C-alpha cells in the first residue's frame, strides 16, 4: 500500500493513486460516450495534475516515486 499510516490521505503518493483511479474511471466513461467533451476536458486536467505531482515526487523522493509507478503500473512524467 502507498499510505504511510492509516490517517494518510494527503501525501503525494496517495494523491497520485486517487487521481489514477479517477483517470481510469473517466477513460472507461469516454469509451462509451465519445462526444462528452466536458468530461474529456476534466480528464486532461486530471492527467496534468497527476503529472505535476509525479514530477514533484520524483524530485523529492525518488525511492517512493519508483514504488508508486511500479504499484500503479503507470509511466513516469514526461
Amino acid at each position: 500500500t502507498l499510505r504511510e499510516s492509516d490517517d494518510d490521505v494527503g501525501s503525494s503518493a496517495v494523491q497520485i493513486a486517487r487521481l489514477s483511479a479517477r483517470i481510469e474511471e473517466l477513460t472507461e466513461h469516454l469509451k462509451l460516450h465519445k462526444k462528452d467533451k466536458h468530461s474529456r476536458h476534466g480528464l486532461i486536467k486530471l492527467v496534468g495534475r497527476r503529472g505535476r505531482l509525479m514530477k514533484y515526487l520524483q524530485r523529492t523522493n525518488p525511492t517512493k516515486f519508483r514504488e508508486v509507478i511500479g504499484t500503479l503500473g503507470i509511466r513516469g512524467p514526461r
Side-chain angles (χ1 to χ4, degrees):
T1 177
L2 298 172
R3 295 166 65 184
E4 300 292 328
S5 67
D6 289 340
D7 299 344
D8 185 7
V9 292
S11 70
S12 299
V14 173
Q15 288 182 55
I16 291 168
R18 291 181 59 125
L19 284 169
S20 295
R22 183 72 179 124
I23 287 168
E24 286 179 28
E25 288 174 18
L26 271 175
T27 302
E28 290 303 313
H29 168 80
L30 288 169
K31 286 179 183 175
L32 293 174
H33 306 280
K34 295 184 187 333
K35 295 188 177 187
D36 187 349
K37 302 301 182 198
H38 291 88
S39 291
R40 187 172 309 281
H41 179 71
L43 173 65
I44 291 168
K45 288 177 74 168
L46 290 177
V47 170
R49 187 183 313 161
R50 182 178 71 176
R52 287 191 302 275
L53 273 169
M54 289 172 64
K55 280 184 183 177
Y56 168 78
L57 188 60
Q58 185 177 29
R59 188 174 67 243
T60 58
N61 191 345
T63 307
K64 189 70 170 177
F65 170 76
R66 285 189 293 278
E67 179 187 344
V68 168
I69 61 172
T71 302
L72 297 176
I74 55 180
R75 294 180 298 188
R78 297 186 180 213

